[in-house]
Amino acid sequence: MSKEYLRDDIIRSSGVNPKKCMKCGKCSGTCPAYDEMEYHPHQFVSMVETGDIEPLMASKGLYRCLTCFACVDRCPRGVEPAKLVEAVRLAVIRQQGANHLSAETVAAFSDDETPQQLLVSAFRKYSK
């Protein structure tokens, strides 16, 4: 998959226009997972814009984002970094190909405390 195709796919699936980012850093300043991430929200947006996606896909910080949308609320330009993070996560899953959940394997991952919403969300994300 070409660098440009991957970038365009992530932008399309997220619905975010990273070119709107003015790199003010307000999203990163409000991020509760800031210290846990190699690439902070404003850097993440910039890297998607330039097509430098491979380091993001390999980053452990990709899974540290809480998807709390604090970055979305704080952005003065309406850029939504959390949606880009989610789109990159989905790109990683699609590239791996073997990360699909099936109904038969759910029991191994859940218990009586597992919220049903989590299971429904996981099926939506990982069964495509």
Side-chain angles (χ1 to χ4, degrees):
M1 185 180 304
S2 76
K3 189 175 182 176
E4 293 79 23
Y5 178 82
L6 183 58
R7 179 195 65 218
D8 293 347
D9 185 52
I10 287 169
I11 290 171
R12 184 177 50 258
S13 68
S14 69
V16 173
N17 181 358
K19 292 182 180 182
K20 292 184 347 182
C21 179
M22 61 184 183
K23 300 173 184 43
C24 66
K26 288 184 178 184
C27 57
S28 295
T30 195
C31 178
Y34 181 89
D35 292 333
E36 303 292 321
M37 300 173 74
E38 299 98 309
Y39 304 107
H40 305 119
H42 73 284
Q43 293 169 315
F44 204 96
V45 171
S46 180
M47 291 171 77
V48 168
E49 181 183 355
T50 62
D52 193 18
I53 309 238
E54 289 79 17
L56 297 175
M57 293 176 81
S59 167
K60 291 183 191 284
L62 178 63
Y63 302 99
R64 303 281 190 217
C65 171
L66 304 172
T67 321
C68 66
F69 290 93
C71 57
V72 172
D73 290 338
R74 191 79 169 118
C75 180
R77 301 283 309 257
V79 179
E80 300 171 300
K83 288 185 177 182
L84 286 173
V85 170
E86 186 67 20
V88 172
R89 286 178 183 163
L90 289 174
V92 169
I93 290 164
R94 288 183 185 128
Q95 271 192 356
Q96 291 173 347
N99 253 347
H100 299 287
L101 281 180
S102 66
E104 297 79 30
T105 61
V106 170
F109 297 106
S110 63
D111 58 24
D112 292 339
E113 301 293 317
T114 304
Q116 287 184 346
Q117 183 178 6
L118 177 120
L119 298 174
V120 171
S121 177
F123 271 116
R124 285 186 190 143
K125 290 180 185 176
Y126 302 117
S127 63
K128 293 184 180 180

